[in-house]
Amino acid sequence: MEPDEGVYKWGITTSQSYFPLDFGNEFDNDYTIVEWLTQYSEEKDVTYVRGFLGRMLFGGDDGVKRVRILSGGEKVRCMLSKMMISGSNILILNEPTNHLDMESITALNNGMTKFPGVLLFSSRDHQIVQTTANRIMEIVPGGKLIDKITTYDEYLENDEMARKRQTYTIQKEEED
């Protein structure tokens, strides 16, 4: 996607992988899970690809399931497999816990915490944000940005951040 305004430039040593909020059209085809993931892999060996699927709890005959009929949680797990197989060092995730059960959310949380690269993510899951984020960027009314290096709970408890949110909200209301 191109930005609505402004510019950005990725570093030459970065590679990015994106988890969109709406990924339904990714699965609007007749591929099996293995075929679907293989198209995103540089290594086309089925055993290699099945290894990534196995980490997302797709075992045995699951690999021959058609992606069109997968549940929401299974599609999320496929998208996470796609991100893992890419080997990117920057992951951009938009609400990655949608459609996941508690066990999968816990596994995702552990994976995000251990990821050695950069994570940019949005989430309404308090636990994910608290345990994973070390920098909070909040877009408040009027498009203003509050940017603070802190944990989520500390951010919510910080009186200075609360004043900024209140000030920006009042300014926006006065403009309208």
Side-chain angles (χ1 to χ4, degrees):
M1 288 177 78
E2 293 300 318
D4 293 337
E5 60 183 60
V7 296
Y8 67 91
K9 183 177 179 182
W10 293 108
I12 58 172
T13 61
T14 66
S15 57
Q16 306 80 36
S17 190
Y18 177 57
F19 182 99
L21 181 60
D22 180 16
F23 47 77
N25 58 354
E26 280 270 351
F27 301 98
D28 192 20
N29 56 65
D30 288 319
Y31 288 139
T32 65
I33 296 174
V34 171
E35 292 168 339
W36 180 84
L37 187 57
T38 299
Q39 71 181 331
Y40 299 108
S41 175
E42 288 184 20
E43 175 67 50
K44 302 300 181 189
D45 177 58
V46 172
T47 305
Y48 176 79
V49 172
R50 279 186 175 271
F52 282 91
L53 291 172
R55 290 182 214 155
M56 287 293 138
L57 306 177
F58 290 109
D61 291 338
D62 286 341
V64 296
K65 275 178 141 176
R66 300 284 172 192
V67 294
R68 182 182 305 278
I69 63 163
L70 297 177
S71 70
E74 289 171 321
K75 289 177 181 178
V76 169
R77 292 177 9 230
C78 282
M79 291 297 293
L80 293 171
S81 294
K82 175 184 171 185
M83 294 179 87
M84 287 186 336
I85 210 165
S86 75
S88 297
N89 57 12
I90 298 177
L91 304 181
I92 305 164
L93 302 107
N94 190 351
E95 297 290 345
T97 59
N98 286 356
H99 308 289
L100 293 179
D101 60 22
M102 289 306 295
E103 184 180 359
S104 298
I105 291 172
T106 300
L108 174 63
N109 191 356
N110 292 337
M112 289 172 68
T113 302
K114 293 176 184 172
F115 182 67
V118 174
L119 287 172
L120 299 172
F121 69 96
S122 65
S123 180
R124 285 174 264 147
D125 186 307
H126 183 99
Q127 186 68 24
I128 289 277
V129 178
Q130 174 58 25
T131 58
T132 307
N134 59 12
R135 180 177 184 175
I136 307 298
M137 297 169 64
E138 179 181 5
I139 302 170
V140 295
K144 302 280 187 183
L145 178 70
I146 299 174
D147 183 0
K148 183 81 172 164
I149 296 175
T150 185
T151 67
Y152 189 53
D153 284 345
E154 289 170 350
Y155 178 79
L156 293 176
E157 293 168 0
N158 187 303
D159 291 339
E160 177 190 351
M161 297 301 108
R163 279 193 299 278
K164 282 186 176 184
R165 281 193 297 282
Q166 181 66 24
T167 300
Y168 290 150
T169 302
I170 291 171
Q171 287 175 352
K172 176 62 178 161
E173 289 171 356
E174 289 174 354
E175 291 173 5
D176 292 338

